[in-house]
């Protein structure tokens, strides 16, 4: 057989039918003569980084990441800076990177995208301790929203569950923060949240950062400062309408971002909570991740048209059902 050696790093808690996933991937790869992949299961202690590193040591040239946002983030951290390709197979609820790729929740389409051979290098953000993210990091309200959303609700109604988590914290007090961009003078703010993005789309297809480009060597920063329900309504309406100027939101771009707060705040990377803290220091690692993307690759925010891959994926699903 010819083709790259591949591996699958999967989270068993996010994959409802592992046998079906094995058939989907196996049928897809065998249809083009690629060898069978190796399989690596994540654990609560290691959500995917160690498994992806082991896969690379054992010869994998392509790693499929199948799980929630935490699994994808762990694999990104393992592969950033290497020549090993990453392919996203959506599972879980948030699926932020998959959403920005336009993959939806269909692993067969993700397999077909990998087979078709579209590849693109994108930047990644790096936080203290070496953890990487491909979509967004945040401190404040966005992490509170994640913290306030139950796993049960996410399984029942998908990304809409985050709305409930958000409503619980709309009236919370702003945090006193200092934001430092590229070593410049501190910018004091009474902010509800500070988001540092590599791409621009949130859950539900909402685009927060209009200018975000994952291959420009920069990170985009949004400082949101609403302090009552009316402010939230104005800000949300402008974001949904994709207005260039959004009230109560400042945007910047930088290679290095520091967020310092007086009190401990919740923090998140790519939709996955990390330990709360008073600081979040981030820098960009340009062109660090080689990613499978749909063909043709023309949209700078990675929201490509995957219709051709989706049609071809039906053949994979049919074969897997037989």
């Amino acid at each position: 057989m010819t083709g790259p050696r591949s591996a699958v790093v999967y989270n068993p808690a996010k994959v409802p039918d592992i046998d079906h996933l094995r058939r989907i991937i196996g049928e897809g790869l065998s249809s083009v003569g690629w060898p069978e992949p190796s399989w690596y299961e994540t654990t609560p202690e290691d959500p995917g980084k160690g498994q992806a590193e082991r896969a690379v040591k054992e010869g994998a040239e392509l790693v499929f990441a199948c799980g929630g946002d935490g699994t994808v983030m762990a694999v990104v951290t393992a592969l950033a800076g290497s020549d090993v390709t990453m392919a996203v197979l959506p599972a879980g609820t948030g699926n932020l990177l998959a959403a920005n790729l336009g993959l939806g929740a269909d692993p067969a389409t993700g397999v077909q995208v990998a087979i078709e051979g579209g590849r693109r290098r994108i930047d990644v953000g790096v936080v203290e301790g070496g953890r990487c993210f491909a979509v967004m990091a945040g401190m404040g309200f966005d992490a509170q929203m994640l913290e306030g959303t139950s796993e049960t609700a996410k399984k029942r109604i998908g990304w809409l569950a985050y709305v409930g988590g958000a409503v619980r914290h709309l009236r919370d007090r702003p945090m006193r923060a200092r934001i430092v961009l590229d070593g410049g003078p501190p910018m004091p703010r009474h902010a509800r949240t500070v988001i540092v993005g590599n791409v621009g789309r949130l859950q539900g297809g909402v685009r927060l950062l209009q200018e975000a480009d994952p291959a420009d060597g920069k990170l985009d920063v949004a400082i949101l400062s609403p302090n009552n329900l009316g402010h939230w309504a104005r800000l949300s309406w402008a974001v949904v309408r994709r207005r260039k100027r959004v009230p109560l939101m400042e945007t910047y771009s930088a290679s290095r971002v520091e967020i310092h707060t007086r009190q401990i705040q919740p923090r998140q990377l790519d939709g996955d909570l990390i330990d709360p803290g008073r600081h979040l220091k981030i820098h960009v690692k340009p062109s660090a991740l080689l990613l499978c993307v749909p063909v043709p690759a023309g949209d700078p925010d990675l929201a490509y048209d995957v219709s051709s891959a989706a049609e071809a994926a039906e053949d994979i699903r049919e074969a897997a059902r037989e």
Side-chain angles (χ1 to χ4, degrees):
M1 285 187 171
T2 60
R5 294 179 63 183
S6 63
V8 183
V9 176
Y10 70 98
N11 181 347
K14 300 292 185 178
V15 178
D17 188 343
I18 186 60
D19 291 332
H20 179 68
L21 180 66
R22 286 180 180 271
R23 289 194 298 272
I24 286 286
I25 296 175
E27 290 292 342
L29 299 188
S30 66
S31 69
V32 290
W34 290 11
E36 283 285 321
S38 303
W39 289 77
Y40 301 84
E41 184 176 305
T42 68
T43 65
E45 297 74 28
D46 189 342
K49 181 175 181 288
Q51 293 86 342
E53 289 173 340
R54 189 162 70 251
V56 173
K57 286 181 181 177
E58 294 174 1
E61 302 163 87
L62 169 67
V63 177
F64 292 97
C66 188
D69 292 318
T71 305
V72 172
M73 182 178 66
V75 175
V76 168
T77 299
L79 300 186
S82 76
D83 291 323
V84 177
T85 307
M86 175 177 164
V88 180
L89 301 184
T93 306
N95 295 320
L96 285 173
L97 185 55
N100 278 273
L101 286 168
L103 293 178
D106 178 16
T109 301
V111 173
Q112 187 61 35
V113 166
I115 290 170
E116 289 182 351
R119 303 288 185 265
R120 188 184 185 192
R121 281 203 171 273
I122 68 167
D123 309 328
V124 299
V126 185
V127 302
E128 58 265 48
R131 283 176 293 188
C132 298
F133 64 93
V135 181
M136 291 182 184
M139 192 169 184
F141 172 77
D142 60 318
Q144 288 175 324
M145 176 187 69
L146 296 171
E147 199 173 42
T149 304
S150 73
E151 289 296 322
T152 301
K154 287 195 288 185
K155 288 178 181 178
R156 281 166 136 185
I157 60 176
W159 67 265
L160 286 172
Y162 294 109
V163 175
V167 168
R168 293 187 183 94
H169 294 284
L170 287 177
R171 294 178 181 270
D172 288 3
R173 297 179 64 184
M175 59 184 182
R176 299 182 71 174
R178 290 182 296 111
I179 299 99
V180 179
L181 306 178
D182 288 334
M187 301 189 303
R189 295 291 187 273
H190 283 71
R192 286 294 287 111
T193 191
V194 181
I195 295 174
V196 181
N198 193 36
V199 294
R201 294 174 190 265
L202 303 174
Q203 286 93 348
V206 174
R207 185 164 177 76
L208 179 69
L209 298 167
Q210 299 289 342
E211 304 299 324
D213 178 351
D216 64 357
K218 296 279 189 179
L219 296 167
D220 286 64
V221 183
I223 305 170
L224 280 66
S225 303
N227 55 31
N228 58 50
L229 293 179
H231 286 173
W232 276 116
R234 289 172 56 205
L235 188 154
S236 301
W237 179 249
V239 169
V240 170
R241 298 289 294 175
R242 298 193 177 187
R243 299 274 170 80
K244 287 189 176 181
R245 297 187 65 180
V246 177
L248 303 161
M249 184 175 90
E250 304 168 66
T251 56
Y252 304 89
S253 65
S255 299
R256 290 181 293 123
V257 182
E258 298 179 23
I259 308 166
H260 305 275
T261 60
R262 289 198 173 186
Q263 296 182 322
I264 291 175
Q265 298 290 337
R267 306 181 299 174
Q268 63 87 14
L269 301 179
D270 278 359
D272 204 53
L273 287 168
I274 61 174
D275 291 338
R278 286 195 292 265
H279 313 281
L280 189 59
K281 299 180 181 180
I282 304 169
H283 68 272
V284 70
K285 195 169 185 178
S287 303
L289 183 65
L290 185 59
L291 191 64
C292 291
V293 297
V295 179
D299 188 335
D301 71 359
L302 296 188
Y304 304 125
D305 178 8
V306 292
S307 56
S308 62
E311 291 173 5
E314 183 58 35
D315 296 333
I316 296 175
R317 287 189 290 269
E318 281 293 331
R321 284 194 286 266
E322 293 176 356

